[in-house]
Amino acid sequence: MTLEFRVQHDVDTDASPSLPTPTRSGFRGLLDRLAERRAAARVRRAEAQLRDLADVERLLSGARGVVERGWIQHAWFSYVDEKGRTRKASSAAAMDVAGRPLVGACLVGAVVYAAGGPHAVHSQPVQRALDVVWHALAVEEGSPVLWCPAPDVRMGRVRDLTSWNDAPSRNSADVAGLLLTAERVAVAESERIRERAVARSRA
């Protein structure tokens, strides 16, 4: 006995091919192409921002690890010199720590060290990470980060972070906690960018 299955071909299915979007010509076609290019540029910018924020989040996590291993005040780094003595290095003498065992770091020094050491102090990852740390300290959590402040503003923020680190009542748990809050700020910024990209794609 042969069993025969019959399929009704006049039933609509979800697999029906969608009709291609008609291509307009002339001036309207030009506007369409410009809109497509702008949309593609927005996607590329969002992807670049998300990569940057992922780097910032990893850097902040690394800085938190540095602080948990050893935290100091009134200097950027504490290191062991060639004679086995423990030394402290301020921002002006930060290069002295290069190639030497690190004993501890302050808040700002930990971010710099996690980014690769004193030579990275002026790099964009360090600057962006410090922007996020200052935001975590001074701005209500949930507010968007304001990027790229003027150089004198950014320097003032670094002084704010240094003064906070050096307060007599401060301890390593406070500093690690601030860095953890900064990591959450970076994650929230990433979510904000994704939500904005989705909203634009539906507009």
Side-chain angles (χ1 to χ4, degrees):
M1 178 185 296
T2 301
L3 297 178
E4 184 176 343
F5 293 93
R6 296 185 181 275
V7 179
Q8 291 181 323
H9 294 288
D10 59 346
V11 178
D12 290 336
T13 68
D14 292 337
S16 300
S18 58
L19 295 175
T21 303
T23 302
R24 300 192 294 184
S25 60
F27 182 68
R28 290 184 177 179
L30 175 62
L31 293 178
D32 290 342
R33 290 191 294 275
L34 289 174
E36 289 171 2
R37 288 180 189 140
R38 285 194 295 269
R42 284 197 298 269
V43 169
R44 288 193 296 271
R45 280 196 301 272
E47 290 172 346
Q49 289 170 334
L50 289 172
R51 286 193 298 271
D52 286 346
L53 282 165
D55 290 342
V56 166
E57 187 183 348
R58 283 191 292 270
L59 198 163
L60 293 169
S61 179
R64 184 160 51 87
V66 171
V67 166
E68 288 170 346
R69 290 190 296 272
W71 170 74
I72 62 171
Q73 293 180 299
H74 309 295
W76 273 26
F77 304 111
S78 178
Y79 65 95
V80 178
D81 68 11
E82 63 279 358
K83 294 183 179 180
R85 297 171 298 190
T86 299
R87 299 278 192 177
K88 284 188 175 182
S90 65
S91 58
M95 294 305 297
D96 291 348
V97 76
R100 294 188 168 98
L102 189 75
V103 175
C106 72
L107 171 59
V108 174
V111 171
V112 172
Y113 193 83
H119 68 277
V121 66
H122 297 298
S123 66
Q124 180 172 302
V126 167
Q127 300 304 311
R128 285 184 173 273
L130 291 176
D131 286 344
V132 174
V133 176
W134 184 88
H135 182 95
L137 175 65
V139 181
E140 183 179 355
E141 195 168 349
S143 301
V145 176
L146 299 177
W147 301 103
C148 302
D152 57 336
V153 173
R154 181 170 269 159
M155 186 59 67
R157 292 179 176 183
V158 171
R159 286 194 293 268
D160 290 344
L161 294 174
T162 300
S163 297
W164 182 86
N165 180 90
D166 293 344
S169 61
R170 196 69 57 224
N171 59 51
S172 61
D174 295 336
V175 179
L178 178 61
L179 288 165
L180 184 60
T181 300
E183 290 175 59
R184 290 201 304 269
V185 170
V187 171
E189 280 296 302
S190 296
E191 290 302 316
R192 187 175 288 108
I193 289 169
R194 290 191 185 94
E195 289 169 4
R196 187 166 62 237
V198 169
R200 284 177 172 173
S201 68
R202 291 174 177 170

